[in-house]
Amino acid sequence: MKVLRVRRGAATFYAQLLLEERAVRCLDRTLGVPEVLPLTEVSVLAPVAPSKVVCAQGNFRSRLEEIGRGPGDAPMLFLKPPTAVIGNGQSIMLPRATSRVEAWGELAMILGRGCRNVAPEDVPRHLFGYSCANDVTAGDFLAPGEPLGRAKGFDTFAPIGPWIETAVADPTQLWLRTTVNGAVIQESSTGDMVLSPYALVSFISTIMTLLPGDVILTGSPSGGGRLAPGDEVRVEIDAVGVLINAAKAEEEAAPLQ
Ligand SMILES: O=C(O)C[C@H](/C=C/C(=O)C(=O)O)C(=O)O
């Protein structure tokens, strides 16, 4: 099932996307909105409004090779603020403060139920589903030893979408491809991860409580690509979807709502 987060009037709710009908089915029957609504009657929002976005750095073997490291212990973790999240079709802002913004495609996992100290085999019971994501990074703020908050935390630096796919049978063998203006910059299977998706969620849950709606970005393969105003980035993951965002100079990017 493909799930969108939508707004209609004062109500914000999750809804099943009915692709052929170009409509959505409201998944919360307590709201009093019609069960099925044409897409034209709702505003599609970013598919998540998380308390936190927890990201892994160095979780793909190809990326570790690229930076001259072997698969060591656990990947490094960092957080992106909820204000970095945008949805499919929204613009990635290229901030004036940086001259080097990069796209890094990733598989996102979205929690459905809160958890702490969850075993890898129990992770599926706590998941809402999967999405495509982009770990947008200001590369010129990645000096060794500099905390990642600035490089990773600008508004719009966590595009996620186009929806939450709840029916992914096996997240360990998904093909991921990132393109900029149609040119492939990254291509890999999620089988190249050091910590598999369930193992990564389990590891993170030993450190912090994960809440419903929280997002895990599972790391990016080698590559990554620099963005210029007007570029279109696509993150495609088989069985999940295609996330599309355009890059815009800060002065042209729409303010977040
Ligand atoms: O090196 C960069 O410019 C960005 C790079 C992104 C890495 C990942 O997203 C990853 O390892 O999963 C970095 O932060 O090192």
Side-chain angles (χ1 to χ4, degrees), residues 56-60 63 78 102 104 106 135 137 139 142 148 152 218-221:
Q57 188 190 42
N59 195 33
F60 272 76
R63 175 65 185 150
F78 62 93
E102 298 162 10
W104 294 83
E106 308 203 0
D135 171 17
T137 303
L142 280 176
L148 290 171
K152 306 282 191 176
T218 53
S220 199

Side-chain angles (χ1 to χ4, degrees), residues 224-243:
R226 200 165 172 173
L227 296 177
D231 285 348
E232 183 191 82
V233 195
R234 297 167 73 102
V235 180
E236 311 177 21
I237 304 179
D238 288 350
V240 178
V242 184
L243 167 67

Side-chain angles (χ1 to χ4, degrees), residues 16-31:
Q16 178 184 5
L17 174 61
L18 306 171
L19 260 176
E20 282 182 14
E21 294 91 328
R22 299 203 53 73
V24 292
R25 173 176 287 119
C26 176
L27 295 176
D28 183 347
R29 300 312 306 134
T30 66
L31 288 174

Side-chain angles (χ1 to χ4, degrees), residues 100-163:
R100 184 180 183 90
V101 175
E102 298 162 10
W104 294 83
E106 308 203 0
L107 174 70
M109 304 170 81
I110 295 100
L111 273 290
R113 290 204 279 160
C115 61
R116 180 158 167 76
N117 286 325
V118 65
E121 60 273 22
D122 291 332
V123 166
R125 286 196 301 117
H126 295 82
L127 286 181
F128 187 172
Y130 297 83
S131 198
C132 309
N134 190 340
D135 171 17
V136 180
T137 303
D140 43 9
F141 295 138
L142 280 176
E146 179 167 344
L148 290 171
R150 188 154 65 142
K152 306 282 191 176
F154 282 96
D155 285 358
T156 76
F157 272 26
I160 297 171
W163 44 61

